[in-house]
Short mmCIF file of all heavy atoms in Angstrom, two decimals:
data_model
loop_
_atom_site.label_atom_id
_atom_site.label_comp_id
_atom_site.label_asym_id
_atom_site.label_seq_id
_atom_site.Cartn_x
_atom_site.Cartn_y
_atom_site.Cartn_z
N ARG A 1 85.39 -22.59 -47.81
CA ARG A 1 85.07 -23.89 -47.23
C ARG A 1 85.85 -24.12 -45.96
O ARG A 1 85.36 -24.72 -45.03
CB ARG A 1 85.38 -25.01 -48.26
CG ARG A 1 84.40 -24.98 -49.44
CD ARG A 1 84.74 -26.11 -50.38
NE ARG A 1 83.80 -26.13 -51.51
CZ ARG A 1 83.87 -26.97 -52.51
NH1 ARG A 1 84.86 -27.88 -52.52
NH2 ARG A 1 83.01 -26.90 -53.50
N ARG A 2 87.03 -23.61 -45.97
CA ARG A 2 87.83 -23.77 -44.77
C ARG A 2 87.24 -23.01 -43.65
O ARG A 2 87.19 -23.47 -42.50
CB ARG A 2 89.28 -23.29 -45.03
CG ARG A 2 90.22 -23.65 -43.88
CD ARG A 2 91.57 -23.20 -44.18
NE ARG A 2 91.52 -21.78 -44.46
CZ ARG A 2 92.57 -21.05 -44.70
NH1 ARG A 2 93.77 -21.58 -44.76
NH2 ARG A 2 92.44 -19.77 -44.97
N LEU A 3 86.69 -21.85 -43.89
CA LEU A 3 86.04 -21.06 -42.84
C LEU A 3 84.80 -21.78 -42.37
O LEU A 3 84.51 -21.81 -41.17
CB LEU A 3 85.70 -19.66 -43.38
CG LEU A 3 86.88 -18.72 -43.61
CD1 LEU A 3 86.41 -17.42 -44.28
CD2 LEU A 3 87.63 -18.43 -42.34
N GLU A 4 84.10 -22.31 -43.30
CA GLU A 4 82.90 -23.03 -42.92
C GLU A 4 83.26 -24.21 -42.03
O GLU A 4 82.59 -24.51 -41.03
CB GLU A 4 82.16 -23.52 -44.16
CG GLU A 4 81.46 -22.41 -44.94
CD GLU A 4 80.70 -22.93 -46.14
OE1 GLU A 4 80.83 -24.16 -46.39
OE2 GLU A 4 79.97 -22.17 -46.77
N ALA A 5 84.36 -24.88 -42.45
CA ALA A 5 84.78 -26.04 -41.67
C ALA A 5 85.22 -25.61 -40.29
O ALA A 5 84.88 -26.24 -39.26
CB ALA A 5 85.89 -26.79 -42.39
N GLN A 6 85.97 -24.51 -40.23
CA GLN A 6 86.41 -24.01 -38.92
C GLN A 6 85.21 -23.58 -38.07
O GLN A 6 85.14 -23.83 -36.87
CB GLN A 6 87.39 -22.84 -39.12
CG GLN A 6 88.73 -23.25 -39.70
CD GLN A 6 89.66 -22.07 -39.91
OE1 GLN A 6 89.26 -20.89 -39.77
NE2 GLN A 6 90.92 -22.36 -40.32
N PHE A 7 84.28 -22.88 -38.78
CA PHE A 7 83.09 -22.41 -38.03
C PHE A 7 82.27 -23.59 -37.54
O PHE A 7 81.77 -23.59 -36.40
CB PHE A 7 82.26 -21.52 -38.97
CG PHE A 7 81.04 -20.97 -38.26
CD1 PHE A 7 81.15 -19.92 -37.36
CD2 PHE A 7 79.78 -21.53 -38.51
CE1 PHE A 7 80.03 -19.45 -36.75
CE2 PHE A 7 78.68 -21.04 -37.90
CZ PHE A 7 78.79 -19.98 -36.99
N GLU A 8 82.21 -24.58 -38.38
CA GLU A 8 81.44 -25.74 -38.00
C GLU A 8 82.12 -26.46 -36.85
O GLU A 8 81.46 -26.89 -35.88
CB GLU A 8 81.31 -26.69 -39.20
CG GLU A 8 80.45 -27.90 -38.91
CD GLU A 8 80.31 -28.78 -40.14
OE1 GLU A 8 80.81 -28.41 -41.21
OE2 GLU A 8 79.66 -29.84 -39.99
N ALA A 9 83.47 -26.55 -36.93
CA ALA A 9 84.21 -27.20 -35.84
C ALA A 9 84.08 -26.40 -34.57
O ALA A 9 83.89 -26.94 -33.47
CB ALA A 9 85.68 -27.37 -36.23
N LEU A 10 84.18 -25.07 -34.72
CA LEU A 10 84.02 -24.22 -33.52
C LEU A 10 82.62 -24.32 -32.96
O LEU A 10 82.43 -24.37 -31.73
CB LEU A 10 84.37 -22.76 -33.92
CG LEU A 10 84.31 -21.74 -32.79
CD1 LEU A 10 85.31 -22.10 -31.70
CD2 LEU A 10 84.61 -20.33 -33.33
N SER A 11 81.64 -24.37 -33.84
CA SER A 11 80.24 -24.48 -33.39
C SER A 11 80.02 -25.78 -32.64
O SER A 11 79.37 -25.82 -31.58
CB SER A 11 79.29 -24.40 -34.59
OG SER A 11 79.42 -23.15 -35.22
N ARG A 12 80.62 -26.83 -33.20
CA ARG A 12 80.48 -28.12 -32.52
C ARG A 12 81.16 -28.10 -31.15
O ARG A 12 80.63 -28.65 -30.19
CB ARG A 12 81.10 -29.23 -33.38
CG ARG A 12 80.29 -29.51 -34.65
CD ARG A 12 80.98 -30.55 -35.47
NE ARG A 12 80.21 -30.85 -36.68
CZ ARG A 12 80.64 -31.64 -37.66
NH1 ARG A 12 81.84 -32.26 -37.56
NH2 ARG A 12 79.89 -31.85 -38.72
N LYS A 13 82.30 -27.47 -31.18
CA LYS A 13 83.03 -27.40 -29.90
C LYS A 13 82.25 -26.61 -28.88
O LYS A 13 82.13 -27.00 -27.71
CB LYS A 13 84.41 -26.77 -30.17
CG LYS A 13 85.30 -26.76 -28.95
CD LYS A 13 86.68 -26.21 -29.29
CE LYS A 13 87.58 -26.21 -28.08
NZ LYS A 13 88.94 -25.65 -28.38
N VAL A 14 81.75 -25.43 -29.34
CA VAL A 14 80.96 -24.59 -28.42
C VAL A 14 79.69 -25.34 -27.97
O VAL A 14 79.29 -25.31 -26.80
CB VAL A 14 80.60 -23.25 -29.09
CG1 VAL A 14 79.61 -22.48 -28.24
CG2 VAL A 14 81.86 -22.42 -29.31
N LEU A 15 79.06 -26.03 -28.97
CA LEU A 15 77.84 -26.76 -28.65
C LEU A 15 78.12 -27.89 -27.67
O LEU A 15 77.36 -28.10 -26.71
CB LEU A 15 77.22 -27.31 -29.93
CG LEU A 15 75.91 -28.10 -29.76
CD1 LEU A 15 74.83 -27.22 -29.13
CD2 LEU A 15 75.43 -28.63 -31.12
N ALA A 16 79.26 -28.57 -27.90
CA ALA A 16 79.62 -29.66 -27.01
C ALA A 16 79.90 -29.13 -25.63
O ALA A 16 79.47 -29.70 -24.60
CB ALA A 16 80.82 -30.42 -27.54
N ALA A 17 80.65 -28.00 -25.53
CA ALA A 17 80.96 -27.42 -24.21
C ALA A 17 79.68 -26.95 -23.54
O ALA A 17 79.46 -27.15 -22.32
CB ALA A 17 81.96 -26.27 -24.39
N GLY A 18 78.78 -26.30 -24.32
CA GLY A 18 77.51 -25.83 -23.72
C GLY A 18 76.64 -26.98 -23.27
O GLY A 18 76.00 -26.93 -22.19
N THR A 19 76.65 -28.00 -24.14
CA THR A 19 75.82 -29.18 -23.76
C THR A 19 76.36 -29.84 -22.51
O THR A 19 75.60 -30.22 -21.61
CB THR A 19 75.81 -30.17 -24.93
OG1 THR A 19 75.27 -29.53 -26.10
CG2 THR A 19 74.96 -31.38 -24.57
N GLU A 20 77.68 -29.96 -22.47
CA GLU A 20 78.28 -30.60 -21.28
C GLU A 20 78.01 -29.77 -20.02
O GLU A 20 77.67 -30.30 -18.96
CB GLU A 20 79.79 -30.75 -21.51
CG GLU A 20 80.48 -31.48 -20.36
CD GLU A 20 81.96 -31.67 -20.66
OE1 GLU A 20 82.40 -31.27 -21.72
OE2 GLU A 20 82.64 -32.23 -19.78
N GLN A 21 78.14 -28.45 -20.18
CA GLN A 21 77.87 -27.58 -19.02
C GLN A 21 76.41 -27.65 -18.63
O GLN A 21 76.06 -27.67 -17.45
CB GLN A 21 78.27 -26.13 -19.38
CG GLN A 21 78.12 -25.19 -18.21
CD GLN A 21 78.56 -23.77 -18.58
OE1 GLN A 21 78.89 -23.50 -19.77
NE2 GLN A 21 78.56 -22.90 -17.59
N PHE A 22 75.54 -27.72 -19.64
CA PHE A 22 74.10 -27.81 -19.35
C PHE A 22 73.79 -29.11 -18.62
O PHE A 22 73.01 -29.14 -17.66
CB PHE A 22 73.31 -27.71 -20.67
CG PHE A 22 71.85 -27.94 -20.48
CD1 PHE A 22 71.03 -26.95 -19.93
CD2 PHE A 22 71.27 -29.17 -20.84
CE1 PHE A 22 69.68 -27.19 -19.77
CE2 PHE A 22 69.94 -29.37 -20.68
CZ PHE A 22 69.13 -28.38 -20.13
N LEU A 23 74.46 -30.18 -19.18
CA LEU A 23 74.22 -31.47 -18.53
C LEU A 23 74.74 -31.48 -17.10
O LEU A 23 74.08 -32.03 -16.18
CB LEU A 23 74.88 -32.59 -19.34
CG LEU A 23 74.23 -32.88 -20.70
CD1 LEU A 23 75.06 -33.93 -21.45
CD2 LEU A 23 72.81 -33.34 -20.53
N VAL A 24 75.86 -30.85 -16.87
CA VAL A 24 76.40 -30.79 -15.49
C VAL A 24 75.46 -30.00 -14.60
O VAL A 24 75.15 -30.39 -13.46
CB VAL A 24 77.82 -30.17 -15.51
CG1 VAL A 24 78.30 -29.90 -14.09
CG2 VAL A 24 78.78 -31.12 -16.23
N GLN A 25 75.01 -28.84 -15.11
CA GLN A 25 74.10 -28.02 -14.30
C GLN A 25 72.78 -28.73 -14.07
O GLN A 25 72.20 -28.68 -12.96
CB GLN A 25 73.86 -26.68 -15.01
CG GLN A 25 75.09 -25.77 -15.05
CD GLN A 25 74.83 -24.47 -15.79
OE1 GLN A 25 73.75 -24.28 -16.38
NE2 GLN A 25 75.84 -23.57 -15.79
N ALA A 26 72.32 -29.40 -15.17
CA ALA A 26 71.04 -30.13 -15.01
C ALA A 26 71.19 -31.26 -14.01
O ALA A 26 70.30 -31.50 -13.18
CB ALA A 26 70.58 -30.65 -16.37
N GLU A 27 72.34 -31.95 -14.11
CA GLU A 27 72.56 -33.05 -13.16
C GLU A 27 72.67 -32.54 -11.72
O GLU A 27 72.13 -33.13 -10.79
CB GLU A 27 73.83 -33.81 -13.58
CG GLU A 27 74.10 -35.03 -12.72
CD GLU A 27 75.35 -35.77 -13.19
OE1 GLU A 27 75.93 -35.38 -14.18
OE2 GLU A 27 75.70 -36.76 -12.50
N GLU A 28 73.37 -31.38 -11.58
CA GLU A 28 73.50 -30.79 -10.24
C GLU A 28 72.13 -30.37 -9.70
O GLU A 28 71.79 -30.61 -8.53
CB GLU A 28 74.45 -29.59 -10.31
CG GLU A 28 74.70 -28.91 -8.99
CD GLU A 28 75.45 -29.80 -8.02
OE1 GLU A 28 76.13 -30.78 -8.45
OE2 GLU A 28 75.34 -29.58 -6.77
N ARG A 29 71.39 -29.73 -10.61
CA ARG A 29 70.05 -29.29 -10.16
C ARG A 29 69.16 -30.51 -9.84
O ARG A 29 68.39 -30.49 -8.87
CB ARG A 29 69.42 -28.43 -11.25
CG ARG A 29 68.04 -27.91 -10.88
CD ARG A 29 67.58 -26.87 -11.87
NE ARG A 29 68.40 -25.67 -11.76
CZ ARG A 29 68.23 -24.56 -12.51
NH1 ARG A 29 67.23 -24.55 -13.41
NH2 ARG A 29 69.00 -23.52 -12.36
N MET A 30 69.31 -31.53 -10.69
CA MET A 30 68.53 -32.73 -10.44
C MET A 30 68.92 -33.35 -9.09
O MET A 30 68.05 -33.79 -8.31
CB MET A 30 68.74 -33.75 -11.58
CG MET A 30 67.97 -35.04 -11.42
SD MET A 30 66.18 -34.80 -11.65
CE MET A 30 66.12 -34.44 -13.39
N ARG A 31 70.24 -33.38 -8.83
CA ARG A 31 70.72 -33.96 -7.58
C ARG A 31 70.20 -33.16 -6.39
O ARG A 31 69.70 -33.73 -5.40
CB ARG A 31 72.24 -34.01 -7.58
CG ARG A 31 72.84 -34.66 -6.33
CD ARG A 31 74.34 -34.65 -6.44
NE ARG A 31 74.83 -33.28 -6.48
CZ ARG A 31 74.97 -32.50 -5.41
NH1 ARG A 31 74.62 -32.95 -4.22
NH2 ARG A 31 75.43 -31.26 -5.54
N ARG A 32 70.26 -31.82 -6.55
CA ARG A 32 69.76 -30.99 -5.46
C ARG A 32 68.25 -31.17 -5.27
O ARG A 32 67.74 -31.20 -4.14
CB ARG A 32 70.08 -29.54 -5.75
CG ARG A 32 71.57 -29.21 -5.66
CD ARG A 32 71.78 -27.75 -5.99
NE ARG A 32 73.22 -27.43 -5.93
CZ ARG A 32 73.74 -26.22 -6.24
NH1 ARG A 32 72.90 -25.26 -6.64
NH2 ARG A 32 75.04 -26.01 -6.16
N SER A 33 67.58 -31.26 -6.43
CA SER A 33 66.14 -31.44 -6.34
C SER A 33 65.80 -32.77 -5.68
O SER A 33 64.87 -32.88 -4.85
CB SER A 33 65.52 -31.37 -7.74
OG SER A 33 64.12 -31.62 -7.68
N GLN A 34 66.58 -33.79 -6.03
CA GLN A 34 66.36 -35.10 -5.41
C GLN A 34 66.65 -35.06 -3.92
O GLN A 34 65.91 -35.63 -3.10
CB GLN A 34 67.21 -36.16 -6.10
CG GLN A 34 66.72 -36.50 -7.50
CD GLN A 34 67.62 -37.53 -8.18
OE1 GLN A 34 68.69 -37.88 -7.65
NE2 GLN A 34 67.18 -38.01 -9.33
N GLU A 35 67.72 -34.42 -3.53
CA GLU A 35 68.05 -34.33 -2.10
C GLU A 35 66.96 -33.55 -1.35
O GLU A 35 66.55 -33.94 -0.24
CB GLU A 35 69.41 -33.64 -1.93
CG GLU A 35 70.58 -34.48 -2.41
CD GLU A 35 71.89 -33.74 -2.26
OE1 GLU A 35 71.84 -32.54 -1.88
OE2 GLU A 35 72.94 -34.37 -2.48
N HIS A 36 66.51 -32.44 -1.96
CA HIS A 36 65.45 -31.66 -1.32
C HIS A 36 64.15 -32.47 -1.22
O HIS A 36 63.45 -32.45 -0.19
CB HIS A 36 65.21 -30.38 -2.12
CG HIS A 36 64.12 -29.52 -1.54
ND1 HIS A 36 64.25 -28.84 -0.36
CD2 HIS A 36 62.85 -29.28 -1.99
CE1 HIS A 36 63.13 -28.19 -0.09
NE2 HIS A 36 62.26 -28.44 -1.09
N GLY A 37 63.87 -33.22 -2.32
CA GLY A 37 62.66 -34.05 -2.29
C GLY A 37 62.75 -35.16 -1.26
O GLY A 37 61.77 -35.47 -0.58
N ALA A 38 63.98 -35.74 -1.18
CA ALA A 38 64.16 -36.80 -0.19
C ALA A 38 64.00 -36.25 1.22
O ALA A 38 63.37 -36.88 2.09
CB ALA A 38 65.52 -37.46 -0.38
N ALA A 39 64.59 -35.06 1.46
CA ALA A 39 64.46 -34.45 2.79
C ALA A 39 63.00 -34.10 3.09
O ALA A 39 62.49 -34.32 4.21
CB ALA A 39 65.35 -33.21 2.87
N GLU A 40 62.34 -33.58 2.06
CA GLU A 40 60.93 -33.22 2.26
C GLU A 40 60.09 -34.48 2.50
O GLU A 40 59.18 -34.50 3.35
CB GLU A 40 60.41 -32.47 1.03
CG GLU A 40 58.98 -31.97 1.15
CD GLU A 40 58.83 -30.90 2.22
OE1 GLU A 40 59.84 -30.27 2.60
OE2 GLU A 40 57.67 -30.72 2.70
N LEU A 41 60.42 -35.54 1.73
CA LEU A 41 59.69 -36.79 1.91
C LEU A 41 59.93 -37.37 3.30
O LEU A 41 58.99 -37.85 3.97
CB LEU A 41 60.11 -37.79 0.83
CG LEU A 41 59.43 -39.16 0.89
CD1 LEU A 41 57.92 -39.00 0.71
CD2 LEU A 41 60.01 -40.08 -0.20
N ALA A 42 61.19 -37.30 3.75
CA ALA A 42 61.50 -37.80 5.10
C ALA A 42 60.78 -36.98 6.16
O ALA A 42 60.26 -37.51 7.15
CB ALA A 42 63.01 -37.77 5.33
N ARG A 43 60.75 -35.64 5.94
CA ARG A 43 60.05 -34.79 6.90
C ARG A 43 58.56 -35.12 6.94
O ARG A 43 57.95 -35.20 8.00
CB ARG A 43 60.27 -33.33 6.52
CG ARG A 43 59.68 -32.33 7.54
CD ARG A 43 59.95 -30.93 7.08
NE ARG A 43 59.26 -30.65 5.83
CZ ARG A 43 57.97 -30.33 5.77
NH1 ARG A 43 57.23 -30.27 6.86
NH2 ARG A 43 57.41 -30.07 4.60
N ARG A 44 57.99 -35.32 5.73
CA ARG A 44 56.57 -35.63 5.68
C ARG A 44 56.29 -37.02 6.28
O ARG A 44 55.28 -37.23 6.95
CB ARG A 44 56.07 -35.54 4.25
CG ARG A 44 56.06 -34.12 3.71
CD ARG A 44 55.43 -34.06 2.33
NE ARG A 44 55.37 -32.67 1.85
CZ ARG A 44 54.87 -32.32 0.69
NH1 ARG A 44 54.36 -33.27 -0.13
NH2 ARG A 44 54.84 -31.04 0.33
N GLU A 45 57.23 -37.95 5.99
CA GLU A 45 57.06 -39.28 6.58
C GLU A 45 57.12 -39.21 8.11
O GLU A 45 56.35 -39.88 8.81
CB GLU A 45 58.14 -40.22 6.04
CG GLU A 45 57.91 -40.66 4.60
CD GLU A 45 59.01 -41.59 4.13
OE1 GLU A 45 59.99 -41.77 4.91
OE2 GLU A 45 58.90 -42.15 3.04
#
């Protein structure tokens, strides 16, 4: 049970770190996509 608990804690930790990294990357990509879209929209305007 202790291993399970450790594994579960480690899994949560890894999942939390992966999720946070994914969210950061997604936010960065979203920001870049928004900037590119804004630039493209300004160019088209």
Side-chain angles (χ1 to χ4, degrees):
R1 290 182 179 177
R2 189 179 56 176
L3 289 174
E4 288 182 355
Q6 291 179 351
F7 181 77
E8 183 178 356
L10 182 61
S11 297
R12 291 177 179 173
K13 185 176 180 181
V14 171
L15 181 60
T19 301
E20 184 177 359
Q21 185 178 5
F22 174 76
L23 291 175
V24 171
Q25 291 179 354
E27 184 179 356
E28 181 66 21
R29 181 170 292 180
M30 180 70 69
R31 183 180 63 79
R32 290 179 181 177
S33 177
Q34 289 178 352
E35 290 178 355
H36 179 70
E40 184 66 20
L41 180 61
R43 185 180 65 80
R44 291 185 178 181
E45 286 180 353

